[in-house]
Amino acid sequence: MQPDPWTHCHYCGAPLVEFHDHQRPRQRCSRCGQILYRNPVPAAGCVVVQHGAVLLVQRRRPPFPGHWHFPSGFVEYDEDIEAAAVRETYEETGLVVEPRSIFGAYSYFDDPRKNGIIILFHAEVVGGTLRPGDDAAAADFFPPDRLPQPLCFAAHIRALREWIERG
Ligand SMILES: [Zn+2]
């Protein structure tokens, strides 16, 4: 996804000009000269499995309301990535989890808000009670042969396929 170009410098507020930096279009401030690099944003989430069933949440809000994916979300600027995975899982499912290892890392280009990178952690439930949070319409565990539909986000769908293949 190619985002809308920015219009003003994030540092001094002056208008931006486009230029080419080794073939790649970038934007630079017309006053202070800062180049505004646009980078993928990090997201974090958890793969939580109990009795062979995986924890998924159903979106309440756009994009893709009604679709299912792993509990996950954007990492705050001053937040540790594992802490973000734990926080998002708690906010969306009510479950307190502890990350154990990295399940996988995936680039994504199909979120209309931002391109990014998601890191999914294997995590175990250590507390809490399963209930959908504010951002989620539903949260539940699903065995691989009874996954809910529709799913969303290519990275999540790929990770789910990998989870099934790994048995
Ligand atoms: Zn500037």
Side-chain angles (χ1 to χ4, degrees):
M1 182 199 97
Q2 201 56 35
D4 293 337
W6 288 316
T7 57
H8 289 81
C9 177
H10 298 177
Y11 301 95
C12 77
L16 299 175
V17 291
E18 227 176 77
F19 74 109
H20 278 77
D21 182 16
H22 301 98
Q23 328 290 338
R24 182 175 279 274
R26 294 196 196 281
Q27 292 178 290
R28 180 163 54 200
C29 179
S30 60
R31 182 158 63 198
C32 76
Q34 286 275 4
I35 298 170
L36 274 74
Y37 293 99
R38 184 167 285 215
N39 302 111
V41 297
C46 289
V47 177
V48 182
V49 178
Q50 283 191 329
H51 310 297
V54 68
L55 179 62
L56 297 174
V57 300
Q58 186 179 36
R59 301 184 63 79
R60 179 187 296 282
R61 303 197 171 102
F64 309 118
H67 289 54
W68 294 81
H69 58 61
F70 291 105
S72 56
F74 295 118
V75 182
E76 297 288 354
Y77 189 65
D78 59 352
E79 188 177 37
D80 176 271
I81 192 159
E82 288 190 25
V86 170
R87 175 182 56 75
E88 288 286 351
T89 301
Y90 178 72
E91 287 176 2
E92 294 181 343
T93 71
L95 294 175
V96 180
V97 297
E98 274 183 14
R100 297 293 188 223
S101 59
I102 291 179
F103 178 89
Y106 310 85
S107 290
Y108 61 85
F109 309 96
D110 58 349
D111 186 324
R113 296 166 297 182
K114 290 166 180 178
N115 288 342
I117 295 165
I118 184 165
I119 297 177
L120 292 174
F121 295 91
H122 286 289
E124 281 180 29
V125 177
V126 296
T129 305
L130 184 60
R131 50 118 193 92
D134 288 348
D135 285 355
D140 211 346
F141 287 89
F142 297 91
D145 59 350
R146 262 178 286 154
L147 294 177
Q149 298 292 332
L151 299 163
C152 67
F153 298 132
H156 291 244
I157 291 166
R158 180 177 151 201
L160 260 176
R161 198 169 59 233
E162 289 175 3
W163 171 67
I164 293 168
E165 285 167 3
R166 291 178 200 180

